[in-house]
C-alpha cells in the first residue's frame, strides 16, 4: 500500500484560526494525511480516531515528540500506557467519582456558581467568559484538587500557560520560558498544600494521593495535579462559553431546551460541535495500515476528534449546533484507557449546574454581536470572549 499523502498547504496558523474547513476537505479527499507543519499524520474520520484511541498496544500514548513534556517538565500520565498509566490515574480517580461529587461537592458547586452570578450587573453587557466561565471553573477545580489558597487569577493563568505550552507544536522557546515560570510557582504551592493535607486530610485529589497507603512518587503527584489544572479549567470554561453561543444563536433550540430541561443534551452537543480538546497524538508501535495507506512503525498519528465529531458518516449537518440529535457519539472526552477522567465533573458542573442556573437567572440574555466572537486554537479550542447582555 502507498504511504499517506502529504499536505504542504496547511500551516499551524490556519489550524489555529479555523481548522474546520480544512478538516472537512481532508475527510472528503485525504482522510489520512501527513501534515509537515505539525509533523504528524492526521486522522480525520471517526472510525479511525476511535480505533487508535481504543488500541494502546499498537498506538502508544508515549509520543516522544510532544511539547507536553517540556511544558509540564514531567512525563505525565497522559503519555503513559498500561499498568503505569492505570496506577497514576487511579491514584486521583476516587476524587472524581459520581458518588463523591454528589455527596461532597455538588452543593458547593451550586454555591460557587451562585456567588459569581450574584456579581453580574443586570441590564449590562459583560464578558461571560472572563466573569463566569473561567473563574467558576477555576474555583471549583481549586476545591477538587485541594489547592486552597490559589486565587482564581493564578489558577486561570497557570492553566492557560500549561495549555499554550502543551499545544506549542511550533516549539517556540518563549512559550516554554513562560511554562517554566508557571511550573516553579505551582511546585511551591502544591508542596505547601500537600503539607497541610497530610495534617488535615480531606477528599480532594491531592489529599488522596499524598495520604495513600502506597503513594505514587511525589514527582508524579505534582505532574498529575498540573495535568488536572491544565485540562480542568479550559475544558469546562470553553464548553460553557461554546454552549452559551450555540443556544443564543439558535433561540428555537434554547426555548426547547428550557421546556424539556435538556441541559445535558445541550452540553453534549456543545462539546461535539467545538471540542475543547481538539486533537491528541499517538506513537505507532508496529507497521500497520489505516484507511488504505501504510503507516510505518515510529510514525506519529494525530487523532483529530474535532474532525471526527463532525464526520458525515455519523452526523447529519455536523457543522451546525443541533441539540436534539437522535444520536451523539462524539469523542470529545476521548475513548479507551485515556477517556477523560474529569468527564463526569464537567457534565455535572456545566451541564447540570452552571448552564441552567445562568439561564434561569438571566432568561432574556442575548448575544449582541455573534460575528464579533473570535474562536482560537488548534490543540485546544474555544472562544476568546463571550460578551452578552444580561436581562
Amino acid at each position: 500500500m502507498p504511504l499517506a499523502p502529504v499536505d504542504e498547504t496547511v500551516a499551524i496558523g490556519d489550524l489555529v484560526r479555523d481548522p474546520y474547513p480544512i478538516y472537512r476537505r481532508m475527510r472528503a479527499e485525504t482522510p489520512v494525511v501527513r501534515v509537515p507543519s505539525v509533523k504528524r499524520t492526521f486522522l480525520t474520520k471517526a472510525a479511525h480516531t476511535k480505533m487508535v484511541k481504543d488500541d494502546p498496544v499498537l498506538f502508544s500514548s508515549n509520543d516522544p515528540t510532544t511539547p507536553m513534556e517540556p511544558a509540564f517538565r514531567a512525563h505525565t500520565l497522559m503519555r503513559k500506557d498500561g499498568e503505569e498509566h492505570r496506577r497514576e490515574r487511579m491514584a486521583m480517580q476516587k476524587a472524581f467519582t459520581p458518588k463523591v461529587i454528589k455527596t461532597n461537592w455538588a452543593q458547593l458547586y451550586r454555591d460557587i456558581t451562585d456567588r459569581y452570578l450574584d456579581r453580574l450587573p443586570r441590564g449590562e453587557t459583560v464578558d461571560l467568559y472572563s466573569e463566569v466561565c473561567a473563574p467558576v471553573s477555576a474555583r471549583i477545580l481549586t476545591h477538587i484538587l485541594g489547592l486552597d489558597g490559589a486565587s482564581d487569577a493564578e489558577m486561570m493563568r497557570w492553566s492557560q500557560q500549561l495549555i499554550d505550552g502543551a499545544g506549542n507544536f511550533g516549539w517556540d522557546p518563549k512559550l516554554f520560558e513562560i511554562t517554566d515560570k508557571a511550573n516553579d510557582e505551582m511546585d511551591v504551592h502544591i508542596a505547601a498544600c500537600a503539607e497541610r493535607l497530610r495534617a488535615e486530610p480531606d477528599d480532594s485529589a491531592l489529599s488522596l494521593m499524598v495520604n495513600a497507603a502506597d503513594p505514587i512518587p511525589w514527582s508524579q503527584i505534582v505532574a498529575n495535579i498540573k495535568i488536572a489544572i491544565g485540562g480542568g479549567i479550559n475544558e469546562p470554561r470553553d464548553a460553557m462559553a461554546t454552549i452559551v453561543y450555540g443556544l443564543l444563536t439558535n433561540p428555537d433550540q434554547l426555548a426547547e431546551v428550557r421546556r424539556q430541561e435538556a441541559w445535558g443534551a445541550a452540553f453534549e452537543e456543545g462539546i461535539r460541535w467545538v471540542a475543547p480538546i481538539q486533537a491528541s497524538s499517538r506513537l505507532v508501535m508496529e507497521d500497520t495500515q489505516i484507511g488504505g495507506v501504510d503507516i510505518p512503525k515510529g510514525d506519529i498519528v494525530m487523532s483529530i476528534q474535532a474532525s471526527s465529531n463532525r464526520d458525515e458518516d455519523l452526523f447529519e449537518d455536523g457543522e451546525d449546533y443541533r441539540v436534539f440529535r437522535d444520536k451523539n457519539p462524539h469523542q470529545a472526552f476521548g475513548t479507551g484507557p485515556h477517556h477523560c477522567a474529569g468527564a463526569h465533573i464537567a457534565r455535572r458542573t456545566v451541564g447540570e449546574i452552571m448552564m441552567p442556573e445562568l439561564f434561569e437567572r438571566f432568561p432574556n440574555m442575548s448575544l449582541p454581536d455573534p460575528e464579533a466572537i473570535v474562536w482560537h486554537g488548534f490543540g485546544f479550542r474555544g472562544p476568546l470572549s463571550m460578551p452578552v447582555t444580561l436581562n
Side-chain angles (χ1 to χ4, degrees), residues 25-247:
R25 172 176 59 81
M26 287 178 173
R27 288 195 302 274
E29 300 174 3
T30 55
V32 182
V33 59
R34 288 176 286 167
V35 180
S37 63
V38 189
K39 300 181 177 65
R40 304 285 191 279
T41 297
F42 281 19
L43 309 177
T44 59
K45 297 289 287 182
H48 297 155
T49 58
K50 187 175 189 306
M51 175 192 70
V52 165
K53 296 286 187 66
D54 288 346
D55 189 351
V57 175
L58 182 56
F59 301 102
S60 171
S61 295
N62 189 19
D63 171 5
T65 65
T66 176
M68 179 172 283
E69 192 151 336
F72 285 80
R73 290 201 310 212
H75 187 50
T76 74
L77 85 168
M78 295 294 291
R79 292 289 166 246
K80 296 181 179 180
D81 300 306
E83 177 58 26
E84 188 178 17
H85 167 259
R86 192 198 69 81
R87 174 166 158 74
E88 290 194 23
R89 181 183 174 105
M90 294 308 297
M92 62 194 313
Q93 188 65 39
K94 290 180 181 179
F96 306 151
T97 63
K99 181 179 180 180
V100 169
I101 298 301
K102 182 177 181 179
T103 304
N104 296 8
W105 303 110
Q107 188 56 51
L108 176 62
Y109 296 165
R110 294 186 186 280
D111 293 343
I112 289 172
T113 300
D114 286 341
R115 190 161 71 242
Y116 284 79
L117 292 180
D118 286 344
R119 302 174 182 174
L120 298 180
R122 189 175 299 276
E124 296 184 18
T125 298
V126 302
D127 182 6
L128 204 66
Y129 178 95
S130 61
E131 296 298 323
V132 176
C133 303
V136 171
S137 299
R139 188 55 21 207
I140 288 174
L141 188 70
T142 302
H143 286 277
I144 292 171
L145 296 183
L147 299 180
D148 294 1
S151 68
D152 293 349
E154 286 174 321
M155 291 288 285
M156 291 187 293
R157 177 169 56 81
W158 292 337
S159 178
Q160 192 60 53
Q161 288 170 344
L162 289 174
I163 290 302
D164 290 344
N168 184 20
F169 289 97
W171 290 80
D172 181 350
K174 293 181 180 178
L175 290 178
F176 293 136
E177 290 174 9
I178 293 171
T179 56
D180 279 343
K181 182 178 179 181
N183 274 287
D184 288 340
E185 295 173 0
M186 286 183 284
D187 287 346
V188 171
H189 187 71
I190 294 168
C193 289
E195 184 176 354
R196 170 179 54 79
L197 290 167
R198 288 188 182 98
E200 301 175 8
D202 58 25
D203 290 326
S204 67
L206 181 57
S207 181
L208 290 174
M209 287 192 288
V210 299
N211 292 302
D214 182 21
I216 61 175
W218 171 249
S219 62
Q220 296 311 116
I221 291 176
V222 172
N224 295 330
I225 286 289
K226 291 175 184 177
I227 283 289
I229 293 174
I233 293 178
N234 82 296
E235 288 183 65
R237 175 199 69 193
D238 293 347
M240 184 179 182
T242 295
I243 298 161
V244 167
Y245 182 93
L247 291 174

Side-chain angles (χ1 to χ4, degrees), residues 5-11 14-15 18-37 42-45 304 306-308 310-312 319:
V6 177
D7 192 333
E8 298 273 7
T9 68
V10 176
D14 300 328
L15 297 167
D18 184 6
Y20 289 109
I22 297 170
Y23 296 152
R24 185 166 60 247
R25 172 176 59 81
M26 287 178 173
R27 288 195 302 274
E29 300 174 3
T30 55
V32 182
V33 59
R34 288 176 286 167
V35 180
S37 63
F42 281 19
L43 309 177
T44 59
K45 297 289 287 182
I304 310 291
S307 176
S308 65
R310 298 188 178 195
D311 189 342
E312 294 78 7
E319 304 292 325

